[in-house]
Amino acid sequence: MRESEDLFRTAMQSSPIGMALRGLDGRWLAVNQALADIVGYSEQELQALGVADISHPDDLAVDMAYAQELLAGTRGPYSREKRYVHRDGHTVWILLSVTLVRGEHGEARFFIAQMNDISARKHAEEELARRQEELARSNAELEQFAYVASHDLQEPLRMVASYTQLLARKYEGQLDERADRWIGYAVDGAYRMQALINDLLSLSRVGTHGREPELIDSSQALARALGSLTSAITESGARITSDPLPVVRADAGQLEQLFQNLVGNAIKFRRPDVPAEVRVSARRRSTEGRDEWIFSIADNGIGLDASYAEQVFTLFQRLHTREEYPGTGIGLAICRKIVERHGGRIWVESTPGVGATFNFTLPANE
Amino acid sequence: MTSQYPAAVPVMPHLSPVEILLVEDNPGDAELTREALAESKVLIKLHEVRDGEAAMVFLRRGPGYADAPRPDLILLDLNLPRKDGRAVLKEIKEDPALRRIPVVVLTSSQAEQDIARAYDLNANCYVTKPVNLEQFLTIVRSIEQFWLTVVKLPRDAG
């Protein structure tokens, strides 16, 4: 008997989990160091206190109720999350497990309680919740901005463009060449502004309208993208070929957008008098810690200098004038945002005058 | 205000002019629409109001609009002062005396939520005003062609 008592006492004393034996009157019969540490008292100090002294006032009522139910036999041993108040005043979240020990004749003798300090987990949960709220708020703001952009900014634009054009019409023939040119600049400015606004909207939608990635056939995404490029392909006589493409986990709409931008660029930036030849392929690479598909879109176009390889992915950065090649310079920025949203990377390899290959990765963890 | 556009050669057997109500707060936009309709072959009488409340008073022949005709077509901008275009749309389409009148929402907004909402409120169609003037003129002409010559409009006792 003595031996098992000693064993129990040792176990309790050295346990890393807070433990206490509590009498039916609410006072501690025994406490261990781990529990004392949780609330910042010494064992002696703690012994002199009761549950009510170290519990958060809001959590006491439930404690009392549960204790009553344990005594009445209407509740079995339970666990619940509650708060203690540390000696220096701050709150400590614990996971409390309580059992009622009964004697030979079923009479209640004392409670055994164990306490796990779960403050760290609680803080992490609160932080996560806060961050999610922050993200939701930020997305809502972006949506509102996008609405304003697609709505309120359009009307003044139309006034500028429409009336300049009306002026041109009304005074056709009465104005000199310079006036025509100036009107052209003004109107062109308004059109470009509208294109820029729409592009910014597209970029913002990658984040706000993105859908959860799911398993899709990437060759179908490519097929749809090529469908949208039909007129560009036939007008320029471009030839597009594709290797078999894999099933990947991605947002179907965004993958289609990605292909459309990259193949569209390959067609647009072709060498004069050389029909564009574009080859789409994919290979799998499994190295330690990383399993991914590498997609490549290779063309025989004008290519670009290695020193610009980073810059091309920057918003509105262009390497040519608008007269040489049309466009606002947002296509590759959108591509990068889509790829990064999927956890991948995008880069370009190129020889000026020969061609360029745009590559992007998608994680292969199906 | 009211403008009248005599037809060079009336193409359709409209014995009386087609009454169009334009609800538009921006005078620049109103004038553009007026210009576009001026080239119409159909005899059109264009009525203009500058806000949503005036639109409802016009439609109900309230004070100041006792002799207002019932429009055959309403061109409605969405963002209006006093009573917003969406509220006007809702009121028209919920009123048995007014809901037969085709309402073309003609507005700057390309926002999807605006388009969806307009159709939810039973707009007959939604048209976005383009930046390009020629396109705008073409669009107004097609609206007029479609709604006034292709489409059958209901006869109304009122």
Side-chain angles (χ1 to χ4, degrees):
Chain A
M1 184 59 183
R2 175 41 58 89
E3 237 183 76
S4 68
E5 258 188 46
D6 280 343
L7 207 54
F8 177 75
R9 198 172 302 276
T10 310
M12 186 168 159
Q13 278 314 314
S14 48
S15 168
I17 297 178
M19 265 186 76
L21 304 182
R22 210 173 83 222
L24 303 180
D25 59 359
R27 303 229 137 256
W28 307 113
L29 296 172
V31 299
N32 72 354
Q33 187 63 49
L35 174 58
D37 289 344
I38 286 178
V39 279
Y41 294 97
S42 71
E43 272 192 64
Q44 284 106 303
E45 287 169 327
L46 185 56
Q47 195 84 39
L49 299 170
V51 173
D53 298 313
I54 60 170
S55 290
H56 192 287
D58 294 346
D59 294 335
L60 262 182
V62 179
D63 281 339
M64 300 296 114
Y66 280 24
Q68 290 304 315
E69 289 169 23
L70 271 176
L71 288 167
T74 54
R75 179 182 287 275
Y78 69 88
S79 289
R80 78 179 197 105
E81 291 181 3
K82 62 167 282 191
R83 287 160 291 182
Y84 278 161
V85 180
H86 193 275
R87 183 191 207 179
D88 63 23
H90 73 261
T91 301
V92 182
W93 276 97
I94 59 153
L95 179 63
L96 170 72
S97 304
V98 181
T99 310
L100 173 64
V101 176
R102 293 186 183 274
E104 284 174 2
H105 309 290
E107 78 282 16
R109 290 182 58 204
F110 55 88
F111 297 100
I112 298 183
Q114 286 180 300
M115 304 82 169
N116 264 306
D117 186 336
I118 56 171
S119 319
R121 169 161 70 78
K122 272 297 187 189
H123 280 141
E125 280 172 14
E126 276 166 24
E127 180 68 18
L128 184 64
R130 201 187 54 77
R131 291 237 181 112
Q132 281 178 335
E133 217 181 280
E134 183 70 34
L135 184 64
R137 199 189 47 80
S138 169
N139 267 358
E141 259 181 25
L142 264 176
E143 284 280 3
Q144 204 186 23
F145 169 77
Y147 176 81
V148 166
S150 64
H151 185 275
D152 298 302
L153 292 181
Q154 300 287 347
E155 192 252 322
L157 259 186
R158 286 187 28 259
M159 291 297 103
V160 169
S162 301
Y163 278 98
T164 330
Q165 289 168 89
L166 257 184
L167 268 175
R169 276 176 128 222
K170 186 150 167 56
Y171 297 105
E172 198 179 340
Q174 298 170 50
L175 294 173
D176 65 359
E177 211 181 280
R178 220 168 20 158
D180 287 340
R181 205 168 54 245
W182 292 358
I183 287 176
Y185 292 148
V187 170
D188 186 55
Y191 288 161
R192 277 189 296 120
M193 176 98 162
Q194 194 192 35
L196 285 171
I197 290 175
N198 286 334
D199 282 346
L200 281 175
L201 272 176
S202 298
L203 188 61
S204 79
R205 282 199 191 110
V206 173
T208 59
H209 280 85
R211 291 205 288 274
E212 273 306 304
E214 47 181 14
L215 285 179
I216 57 167
D217 182 352
S218 60
S219 63
Q220 280 192 14
L222 176 63
R224 281 195 302 270
L226 294 183
S228 304
L229 290 169
T230 312
S231 50
I233 294 174
T234 41
E235 275 164 24
S236 63
R239 217 169 66 93
I240 324 281
T241 56
S242 162
D243 290 357
L245 297 180
V247 168
V248 290
R249 189 171 287 277
D251 174 329
Q254 290 187 350
L255 184 59
E256 183 189 326
Q257 207 178 352
L258 185 52
F259 279 134
Q260 194 177 331
N261 280 357
L262 292 174
V263 176
N265 273 357
I267 297 171
K268 180 159 75 175
F269 292 101
R270 61 185 181 278
R271 282 181 267 156
D273 306 327
V274 178
E277 281 178 31
V278 186
R279 179 162 167 249
V280 183
S281 59
R283 69 184 194 281
R284 187 164 186 161
R285 184 166 75 186
S286 306
T287 57
E288 66 181 289
R290 211 191 258 175
D291 190 14
E292 57 191 12
W293 285 101
I294 304 179
F295 287 83
S296 299
I297 290 90
D299 68 57
N300 62 341
I302 58 175
L304 57 114
D305 194 271
S307 60
Y308 297 125
E310 251 309 300
Q311 191 183 331
V312 280
F313 294 102
T314 312
L315 193 56
F316 297 140
Q317 285 290 334
R318 311 187 74 244
L319 300 182
H320 307 278
T321 67
R322 272 191 317 283
E323 282 83 33
E324 292 168 333
Y325 296 97
T328 55
I330 202 171
L332 288 175
I334 291 183
C335 291
R336 178 158 76 177
K337 191 158 181 195
I338 291 176
V339 168
E340 286 176 358
R341 185 177 171 258
H342 284 80
R345 303 179 319 282
I346 186 168
W347 71 98
V348 60
E349 292 150 4
S350 171
T351 309
V354 176
T357 301
F358 280 83
N359 307 283
F360 66 90
T361 65
L362 288 178
N365 49 353
E366 304 120 33
Chain B
M1 69 170 278
T2 303
S3 327
Q4 189 157 340
Y5 301 104
V9 176
V11 182
M12 289 304 296
H14 280 288
L15 300 175
S16 46
V18 173
E19 312 275 1
I20 299 184
L21 174 64
L22 172 63
V23 189
E24 170 63 70
D25 64 317
N26 179 347
D29 262 324
E31 185 154 351
L32 278 176
T33 311
R34 223 180 298 140
E35 284 291 319
L37 288 173
E39 305 177 9
S40 163
K41 297 223 171 13
V42 180
L43 188 58
I44 290 178
K45 223 150 133 201
L46 182 64
H47 307 271
E48 295 176 33
V49 289
R50 292 269 176 269
D51 67 64
E53 254 177 47
M56 296 318 298
V57 176
F58 180 99
L59 289 169
R60 301 217 161 97
R61 297 186 186 128
Y65 291 109
D67 294 325
R70 189 177 175 285
D72 298 300
L73 180 68
I74 300 176
L75 302 177
L76 177 65
D77 187 20
L78 283 184
N79 277 47
L80 302 166
R82 252 168 254 121
K83 191 171 266 188
D84 166 85
R86 296 157 197 86
V88 170
L89 178 57
K90 186 169 197 287
E91 258 188 65
I92 292 175
K93 291 302 177 182
E94 283 178 356
D95 185 336
L98 297 175
R99 68 179 170 216
R100 284 187 187 171
I101 309 175
V103 177
V104 173
V105 170
L106 183 61
T107 188
S108 303
S109 171
Q110 303 175 54
E112 282 156 31
Q113 58 257 55
D114 281 336
I115 301 176
R117 181 125 181 81
Y119 280 110
D120 277 342
L121 293 173
N122 293 313
N124 293 75
C125 62
Y126 187 107
V127 178
T128 305
K129 300 181 219 176
V131 175
N132 180 314
L133 175 69
E134 283 301 331
Q135 280 177 16
F136 180 73
L137 299 179
T138 306
I139 281 174
V140 174
R141 248 173 264 134
S142 354
I143 291 173
E144 168 238 317
Q145 257 186 346
F146 184 71
W147 285 103
L148 303 184
T149 62
V150 173
V151 159
K152 296 268 178 288
L153 295 179
R155 289 274 143 252
D156 188 354

